[in-house]
Structure formats: C-alpha cells, structure tokens
Amino acid sequence: MKEINDVLRISFDGLDPSQKEVFLDIVCFFKGECKDFLSRILDGCNLFAICNIRVLHDRCLVTILDNIIQMHDLIQEMGWAIIREERPRDPCKWSRLWDVDDIYDAFSKQEEMQNIQTISLDLSRSREIQFSTKVFVKMKKLRLLKIYCNDHDGLMREEYKVLLPKDFQFPHDLRYLHWQRCTLTSLPWNFYGKHLIEINLKSSNIKQLWKGNKCLEELKGIDLSNSKQLVKMPKF
C-alpha cells in the first residue's frame, strides 16, 4: 500500500500549480460530475480545464467514462491527505472542506477561513451548522459552494439545518453556487454574483431570485427546478 501511495504522490508532485488545483478540486468537489460541467466551471476559475484534465488523465490520476470524471478511491484519499497536511487538525486553515465533521468544527470556531476555496457539504450527513456572516464574507478565495442532500427518500428531515443570520452575505468571488433545499426566499439584497458561472437552487424556498438588476456577466446557467414557491424571475 505504501509503495502505491508513493507512486501516486510522485505523480501529483510532478504537476504544475494549475494542474494541482484542478486535481484537488476534483478530489473534493467534482468527482462523479460531467466533464462538460466541470470544464465550464473550471474555465470560469481560469484553470484551463481541457488541458489540465488531459494531463491528469494521461498520468492516470482521473478517468473519464461516458463523459463522467471518475477517480480511484486511493487517489482521492491521497488528495484528502494532501489538503490535511496544509495544517494538521485545523480545517480552518485548509484550502478545501468536504467532510461534515471538519466543516462543523471549522464553523464552530468562528475563526477566519481565508484560505478556503471550496466547500462541499452533504446535509444528509450533517449536524446543525450555523454560517456566520463575519466568517463567511471573509472567505475571499471561496470559489465553489455546494450544499446538498444525498439521501434516498427525498424527504427534508428536521435535522438538515443550516442556520443563517439576518445579515447573511455570500463571498464576492463565488463562481458556482449550489444550494439544494435552500431556505432563503430570496438571495440577499447585497448579493454580488459578478463572477458566478452557474446557480443551482433546486428544491429551494426561493420566491424571487433577487430584487432589482444584477450585473452577472459570466452567468451561463440557472437551475431552480422543483422550487415550488417561485413566483418571480428577474430580468437578465
């Protein structure tokens, strides 16, 4: 096992900085996603998706089957270990968050998380989590946010909770916002979104996406499917 991990680590260490970013994004956020979707989002992050994915594929760090990006569990575990090495036992200082317990610990500390680039939170495995505006808006590097429910019965259980303050704000540099079953009836009045490429608020409580006009130059897609409270759409 150690020999396999050593070989995998050599493959990772031989990547350039942009390729490493794409690899870690796949490890923590995009495994199992469509290649076209992945490319669209990563290109919006200036990460040269097609070229970098080809390199990862050639080095056997990812596979592509039926246009879906896949990765062996051992390779994903190596990627997780690389991120944890950034600051052992202190997820507030990591570049990416994906484990429910680590996300809970990070937000519970109410510390600044200025290095965080991606958060992927499975609510079906979570405890009650409170997002602090003070912490959240200072995530200057947060590009990708995904809050979803990976359950099988499709029901919204009471314990699936993300508590939001009245002054809640999203970070300004978001490229992708995915919030399944979002409890907000409208995105915050000060919602920026200039760099957003896609918004996915499936099965949400959204009544009106936002008020007024927004300059969303990069926006390529919105998914509000099964958001049964929706009554008004903005002018694009």
Side-chain angles (χ1 to χ4, degrees), residues 21-69:
E21 293 293 331
V22 172
F23 172 76
L24 294 176
D25 278 354
I26 294 172
V27 165
C28 298
F29 204 91
F30 289 115
K31 180 181 176 182
E33 296 284 0
C34 173
K35 178 186 174 184
D36 296 337
F37 163 71
L38 169 65
S39 299
R40 191 162 59 246
I41 303 301
L42 292 183
D43 282 343
C45 298
N46 300 315
L47 286 174
F48 314 107
I50 293 177
C51 178
N52 286 335
I53 292 171
R54 183 185 303 120
V55 171
L56 298 180
H57 184 267
D58 290 344
R59 291 183 177 234
C60 300
L61 292 172
V62 301
T63 57
I64 303 171
L65 181 62
D66 295 331
N67 210 37
I68 300 298
I69 299 290

Side-chain angles (χ1 to χ4, degrees), residues 32 119 131 178 191 198:
I119 298 175
F131 282 174
H178 180 135
F191 174 70
E198 290 198 17

Side-chain angles (χ1 to χ4, degrees), residues 129-146:
I129 293 179
Q130 183 163 3
F131 282 174
S132 163
T133 295
K134 179 181 177 182
V135 173
F136 218 71
V137 296
K138 291 184 178 180
M139 294 183 188
K140 303 297 184 183
K141 297 181 180 180
L142 186 65
R143 299 178 285 115
L144 312 174
L145 174 62
K146 183 176 182 179

Side-chain angles (χ1 to χ4, degrees), residues 72 119 150 188:
H72 194 280
I119 298 175
N150 193 22

Side-chain angles (χ1 to χ4, degrees), residues 99-109 127-129:
D99 180 83
V100 169
D101 292 330
D102 292 329
I103 294 172
Y104 179 83
D105 289 344
F107 277 94
S108 296
K109 291 178 180 178
R127 294 171 278 179
E128 184 174 274
I129 293 179

Side-chain angles (χ1 to χ4, degrees), residues 69-81:
I69 299 290
Q70 296 291 357
M71 174 180 287
H72 194 280
D73 289 346
L74 281 177
I75 297 175
Q76 186 174 36
E77 289 171 7
M78 178 193 71
W80 290 337

